[in-house]
Each structure stands twice: as structure tokens, then as C-alpha cells.
Amino acid sequence: MELNSSDDHVSLTKDEIDIAALTKLCGDDTAGAISSFLGVTRNTFNDKIVLHLEYEAYESMALDALQDLCHKARSQWDLKKVVIQHKLGACPVGHTSVFIGVSSAHRNEAIKACEFIIN
């Protein structure tokens, strides 16, 4: 499930996250920077072994919340593209559960917006 505007792409997927394809969506000929964040399932939590994480969402509400993050980031920084994808279902150790990519003319804006979105 996804919501797209010309410069924002937010989606939820049950498939493996395609980092290269999503990074390509961030591209813009006027952008000098692309900053990205990958959330990855690790193998321990609170000294317990983790085999996978399981994500679920009320999809339309989750997409609205992700789109709202795009709007809030755009209100603070001059951004070219914003791409967010979150995995639903099982996410094994070592796999990406969330991708955030932001492009802008200069690196500082992209880095700050990416950090804002993940936090």
C-alpha cells in the first residue's frame, strides 16, 4: 500500500525492502545530496535472542502519519524528494525494516530532515 505525490513516496510492504530502487526514487537533478537511514533487525534485545521482528499496522492510518512526517520535514527544510518505506510482517535478523531517503540541494538539509523523520 502506498501514497505518492510528485516529490513524496511513502509505502508499506510485505516484501523485502529494495534499497537501491528506493534510493533511485530520491534522485533529482537539482539535488546535491541524498541522505538515507536503514533500520535493520538485530539479533538481540535486552539480552534475549531475536530471530525476527513482526510488524503490523492499520495501513491507511500509518500512510497518513508517514505523509504527515513528509509535510513537517518540508516545512523546516528545502527538500527535493522524500521516500519512506516500512516493512510489514516478519522481518528476519539482518533485514531492513524501514528505509528513509531524503534529497536536497545541500547535505545539511538532507541529513537533518532524515534524522527528524526517523526520530
Side-chain angles (χ1 to χ4, degrees), residues 97-117:
S97 58
V98 64
F99 172 94
I100 298 169
V102 180
S103 62
S104 62
H106 305 285
R107 69 178 175 264
N108 193 44
E109 293 170 308
I111 291 168
K112 286 185 175 186
C114 191
E115 180 181 25
F116 168 82
I117 291 168

Side-chain angles (χ1 to χ4, degrees), residues 68-86:
D68 187 52
L69 283 172
C70 293
H71 294 305
K72 286 179 180 176
R74 286 184 177 285
S75 74
Q76 296 181 57
W77 299 282
D78 184 18
L79 307 176
K80 304 300 180 182
K81 303 275 179 80
V82 179
V83 178
I84 306 171
Q85 186 171 78
H86 204 294

Side-chain angles (χ1 to χ4, degrees), residues 7 12 26 34 38-40 51 55 58 60-65 74 81 84-85 88-89 91 98 101 105 108 117 119:
D7 295 326
L12 305 170
C26 294
I34 296 174
L38 304 175
V40 180
L51 301 176
Y55 293 98
Y58 179 59
S60 62
M61 185 183 287
L63 290 172
D64 287 344
R74 286 184 177 285
K81 303 275 179 80
I84 306 171
Q85 186 171 78
L88 296 179
C91 188
V98 64
N108 193 44
I117 291 168
N119 287 334

Side-chain angles (χ1 to χ4, degrees), residues 1-3 10-12 59-68:
M1 187 170 202
E2 59 188 64
L3 282 176
V10 297
S11 59
L12 305 170
E59 294 183 26
S60 62
M61 185 183 287
L63 290 172
D64 287 344
L66 294 175
Q67 191 67 53
D68 187 52

